[in-house]
Amino acid sequence: AQSVTQPDIHITVSEGASLELRCNYSYGATPYLFWYVQSPGQGLQLLLKYFSGDTLVQGIKGFEAEFKRSQSSFNLRKPSVHWSDAAEYFCAVGGPSGYSTLTFGKGTMLLVSP
Amino acid sequence: DTEVTQTPKHLVMGMTNKKSLKCEQHMGHRAMYWYKQKAKKPPELMFVYSYEKLSINESVPSRFSPECPNSSLLNLHLHALQPEDSALYLCASRPTGRGTEAFFGQGTRLTVV
């Protein structure tokens, strides 16, 4: 069975400071990993994805994530947080094709302080 | 066009009403999904359609009835809902090829009174 753990329910970061959101996954085969962001009452927007190749992936809005197979982790980072980054962040794992399902972590709420 | 469009954005319905949620995409994606999301929770998968056929039903109560009339459209018919069914309902679509991601709509905020 596939699963995702996001150990931090809330994180508060000062504007301009760096950010790291943690994600650990369990998946029986090669995982396909995603980070989505959700503003209140809105849908999910894809930040970045990892399928294969370079383990450091770049996404939109200045985010990046690093896949570490040995640690079953896919942590999200941003060097300098902006107030507009405040939102809920979901890590997800799934299979390679559109037939496969996505399993989401419980999410991490990012709060940005001035 | 890289959008998944959901209508309506908000819906209030009584427990005896019948209503439908609509989801549309024109990206040629042949896998489409319904998710239910309660406040402060992750999305929970309800149904998956693949090539217009229902491929996964995550033990959803029969008061939720999905329909995929063509490759661009996905409906969710609602009947005799309970207040606990109030949630954000998200539609998503995904290409069936390898190495692809799901695209989500903005959701329908459903309130059952």
Side-chain angles (χ1 to χ4, degrees), chain A residues 32 34 36 38 40-46 49 51 88 90 94-102 104-107 109, chain B residues 31 33 35 37 40-43 45 48 50-51 56 88 90 94-106 109:
Chain A
Y32 282 60
F34 308 86
Y36 284 89
Q38 186 178 36
Q42 300 295 309
L44 280 76
Q45 181 183 24
L46 181 72
K49 61 191 178 188
F51 294 139
E88 185 94 34
F90 291 101
S97 74
Y99 308 110
S100 56
T101 59
L102 283 178
F104 287 88
K106 292 188 184 300
M109 175 62 74
Chain B
Y33 308 74
Y35 285 85
Q37 187 179 25
K40 301 187 187 304
K41 298 289 187 184
L45 183 66
V48 180
S50 174
Y51 288 89
I56 296 176
L88 182 68
L90 293 165
R94 189 178 180 189
T96 52
R98 298 180 70 85
T100 59
E101 71 267 22
F103 292 74
F104 283 82
Q106 293 299 296
R109 172 69 61 190

Side-chain angles (χ1 to χ4, degrees), chain B residues 6-24:
Chain B
Q6 289 188 244
T7 53
K9 288 189 173 17
H10 301 274
L11 177 63
V12 179
M13 61 184 290
M15 289 188 283
T16 58
N17 291 159
K18 285 185 181 181
K19 296 286 185 184
S20 296
L21 309 185
K22 179 180 171 182
C23 172
E24 201 162 4

Side-chain angles (χ1 to χ4, degrees), chain A residues 28-90:
Chain A
T30 300
Y32 282 60
L33 294 157
F34 308 86
W35 275 100
Y36 284 89
V37 62
Q38 186 178 36
S39 297
Q42 300 295 309
L44 280 76
Q45 181 183 24
L46 181 72
L47 285 176
L48 46 76
K49 61 191 178 188
Y50 173 78
F51 294 139
S52 64
D54 193 345
T55 56
L56 185 64
V57 294
Q58 303 296 320
I60 63 171
K61 304 185 181 187
F63 286 92
E64 67 177 27
E66 186 171 12
F67 171 64
K68 293 185 177 180
R69 184 184 298 275
S70 61
Q71 298 177 21
S72 298
S73 69
F74 187 56
N75 294 347
L76 182 71
R77 301 194 293 249
K78 186 170 184 178
S80 177
V81 167
H82 188 262
W83 64 266
S84 60
D85 294 323
E88 185 94 34
Y89 291 78
F90 291 101

